[in-house]
Amino acid sequence: KALICADRRRDDEAAAALLEVSMEEALEQLSPAHREVIRLRIEGYEVSEIAERLGRSKRSTERLLQESRQHLSIHLDDEQSP
């Protein structure tokens, strides 16, 4: 039982490492503005707070987040394809 748990833990760690590399590659392809809104969102800031910090309108910030999500989704889906 302990060996099975250790194997699962290693598999989980390998999957997490692969996901982190894939995310880093996807983020590198984004513009600096898109990367910044994603970074702030991941850190837990609300859209209105991000907009204020970046000197953008809330709507502009929402658009950047949506574009970023679309790009990341496409990139990560490509990574998953055989």
Side-chain angles (χ1 to χ4, degrees):
K1 186 174 182 178
L3 288 175
I4 292 171
C5 289
D7 285 343
R8 283 188 186 151
R9 200 170 320 125
R10 270 195 303 274
D11 289 347
D12 289 347
E13 289 171 0
L18 180 60
L19 179 60
E20 184 175 347
V21 168
S22 294
M23 282 296 296
E24 287 174 11
E25 289 174 358
L27 288 169
E28 287 174 5
Q29 294 180 12
L30 295 174
S31 72
H34 286 88
R35 277 195 304 270
E36 184 67 4
V37 296
I38 290 293
R39 182 185 68 78
L40 291 169
R41 193 68 174 119
I42 288 171
E43 288 179 8
Y45 289 93
E46 296 293 326
V47 174
S48 58
E49 294 171 315
I50 296 169
E52 185 176 328
R53 287 178 67 105
L54 300 179
R56 293 181 168 267
S57 70
K58 185 176 175 186
R59 180 66 191 124
S60 171
T61 303
E62 289 169 339
R63 183 179 46 78
L64 284 172
L65 281 167
Q66 182 175 2
E67 290 170 356
S68 299
R69 287 185 196 113
Q70 289 171 343
H71 174 81
L72 293 173
S73 176
I74 290 167
H75 181 80
L76 293 174
D77 282 347
D78 287 348
E79 292 285 321
Q80 300 285 323
S81 298

